[in-house]
Amino acid sequence: MLDFLQRLLGRESERPSKEQAKERLRLVLVHDRANLSDDLLPALKDELLAVLSKYMEIDENELRVQLAQEDSQVALVANIPIRRIRRAAGFSHQGAGR
Amino acid sequence: MAGHVVVITSGKGGVGKTTTTANLAMALAQMGRRVVAIDADIGLRNLDVVLGLENRIVYDLVNVAEGACKLRQALIKDKRCDTLHLLPAAQTRDKTAITPDQMKTITAELKEEFDYVLVDSPAGIEQGFKNAIAGADAALIVTTPEVSAVRDADRIIGFLESSELHDPRLIINRVRPEMVRRGDMLSIDDVLEILSIELIGVIPDDEGIIVSTNRGEPVVLDPHSTSGQAYREIARRLEGESVPIVPPTPVADGWLGRLRRLIGLQSR
């Protein structure tokens, strides 16, 4: 009956609570899964470095990769200081350089 | 042929691991399978009372591990169903009283004689949980459609994976169809979307479980119980039968509900 009155009073437009549950779980699990697996972020960092190094020279010691939460989403934030970009010929997919 | 060692686990406490273990053990035993249920929750023994076998305990899991008695001597045979046995936990010791290696030895010995060795895991991710999964061939994860239980289930899935216990299957317990319908409870699909593991069954929230636990009679013994039916179906799925999983539906909600839906005050 209370339910009925609440609906009459226009509170039904409130988002169903399960949507909140889902959203909160989604966010918390991003953090849980990333943080609980000790090697996830370091492994990601190593692979990023390997890929990026084909194109540019990175300052490895200053490379930072972490998760940051902004309102309703989690972002992977990477700060990658570049020392030098390699010449275009070095990474051409068509092998045009040589 | 050697039997299966199946651990029933959850991470979070109070989601129904022990009730699930008791009912699946009884359901499988009633199908004629030789079953032993092990209570791995040392120090917080409960599977005995849920099964109604608490007055018959002589030896326990720790006695067996320490060699104080033979494995056979510690097994309690159920009088209602003579293919069901219980290996109780010790009540006066703690989780460090046994090791994962000892659990492996005990479960390996049991699966020579039984079709199913069901291990009721303690809550948490510490030593007791590690003991419980040590000898397991497969895992069932029990959760409820709540944020805390689902989160802990996710963590357990991660642990099982890193322990080389692959493809755990999920039991969603205490589903309240009416709450799901009005969007106030995570649905089966919501939970599966989040955890992305295989579902083996859905148990409706049922007051009958409390009554059956009061009496020490697993609800699968009641042929009319909806939760009992759901547990029997899970037992058949464990046996490899293909039984479709039907999410619980709301019971008829009377004239008021119908009226509300009719005039559009309630969705669906």
Side-chain angles (χ1 to χ4, degrees):
Chain A
M1 200 61 199
L2 185 66
D3 196 36
F4 177 71
L5 286 175
Q6 281 176 343
R7 279 164 207 281
L8 271 186
L9 293 171
R11 295 192 29 198
E12 66 184 314
S13 58
E14 222 172 89
R15 200 155 69 115
S17 65
K18 80 139 189 190
E19 293 304 330
Q20 278 172 279
K22 249 180 114 169
E23 183 67 12
R24 292 174 58 224
L25 264 170
R26 195 177 61 77
L27 292 175
V28 84
L29 290 186
V30 170
H31 284 288
D32 281 2
R33 288 183 189 175
N35 296 332
L36 289 171
S37 151
D38 291 338
D39 36 44
L40 189 143
L41 284 179
L44 174 67
K45 196 167 148 179
D46 286 348
E47 285 193 44
L48 268 179
L49 195 62
V51 172
L52 293 170
S53 297
K54 290 202 291 189
Y55 304 90
M56 55 196 80
E57 204 173 292
I58 306 293
D59 184 352
E60 287 188 40
N61 297 324
E62 294 300 310
L63 173 64
R64 298 277 177 273
V65 176
Q66 55 204 5
L67 295 178
Q69 179 149 0
E70 304 157 354
D71 293 332
S72 66
Q73 61 180 0
V74 182
L76 182 70
V77 177
N79 191 352
I80 307 167
I82 301 169
R83 282 223 188 92
R84 183 165 36 171
I85 305 268
R86 302 195 197 285
R87 283 200 190 84
F91 55 83
S92 165
H93 286 292
Q94 304 306 319
R98 41 203 86 161
Chain B
M1 212 186 71
H4 298 289
V5 182
V6 182
V7 61
I8 290 95
T9 186
S10 70
K12 187 177 179 296
V15 296
K17 283 181 296 296
T18 303
T19 305
T20 297
T21 308
N23 279 288
L24 291 181
M26 183 62 89
L28 287 163
Q30 289 209 312
M31 291 163 72
R33 297 287 164 244
R34 294 162 300 168
V35 182
V36 57
I38 304 181
D39 189 346
D41 200 350
I42 297 163
L44 293 168
R45 148 165 113 196
N46 270 327
L47 187 56
D48 56 337
V49 287
V50 175
L51 280 168
L53 298 174
E54 69 274 20
N55 294 326
R56 299 181 42 210
I57 297 176
V58 182
Y59 295 109
D60 58 51
L61 181 60
V62 174
N63 297 142
V64 175
E66 290 175 343
C69 68
K70 291 227 159 54
L71 185 47
R72 265 269 147 227
Q73 292 176 287
L75 297 183
I76 301 162
K77 189 192 246 192
D78 191 287
K79 284 179 177 146
R80 296 156 294 198
C81 187
D82 65 3
T83 54
L84 174 64
H85 297 74
L86 168 70
L87 177 52
Q91 182 68 325
T92 54
R93 304 290 291 275
D94 70 28
K95 307 189 191 304
T96 58
I98 61 167
T99 65
D101 279 340
Q102 288 173 322
M103 269 304 276
K104 274 188 203 165
T105 310
I106 292 169
T107 50
E109 195 178 332
L110 286 170
K111 75 178 181 184
E112 292 304 312
E113 262 186 81
F114 292 91
D115 299 311
Y116 287 95
V117 181
L118 302 188
V119 184
D120 183 17
S121 155
I125 49 175
E126 294 86 16
Q127 164 114 38
F129 164 72
K130 288 174 183 148
N131 286 339
I133 66 170
D137 305 312
L140 300 181
I141 297 176
V142 184
T143 191
T144 58
E146 290 163 277
V147 179
S148 49
V150 174
R151 181 193 198 178
D152 289 358
D154 188 77
R155 184 133 195 235
I156 289 293
I157 294 165
F159 268 103
L160 293 177
E161 244 162 49
S162 54
S163 312
E164 302 291 307
L165 196 48
H166 300 294
D167 304 323
R169 288 185 283 178
L170 186 70
I171 295 174
I172 306 179
N173 194 15
R174 291 203 204 117
V175 173
R176 297 174 63 174
E178 177 54 32
M179 290 191 73
V180 173
R181 195 188 54 73
R182 53 170 205 259
D184 277 331
M185 180 175 267
L186 293 168
S187 68
I188 311 306
D189 288 341
D190 293 332
V191 177
L192 292 180
E193 186 189 321
I194 294 162
L195 295 178
S196 48
I197 64 167
E198 193 192 332
L199 182 70
I200 191 172
V202 178
I203 314 293
D205 192 34
D206 178 11
E207 290 183 1
I209 295 274
I210 296 170
V211 178
S212 87
T213 309
N214 288 344
R215 299 207 162 104
E217 288 170 6
V219 77
V220 290
L221 293 172
D222 175 357
H224 306 294
S225 156
T226 52
S227 57
Q229 174 66 23
Y231 278 122
R232 284 192 295 272
E233 287 175 3
I234 295 176
R236 288 167 57 199
R237 290 181 198 115
L238 280 174
E239 280 280 274
E241 265 186 67
S242 151
V243 184
I245 301 176
V246 185
T249 46
V251 277
D253 49 2
W255 65 271
L256 187 60
R258 283 198 300 275
L259 179 68
R260 260 188 273 168
R261 264 199 296 284
L262 196 67
I263 58 178
L265 281 168
Q266 201 167 324
S267 50
R268 275 152 305 207

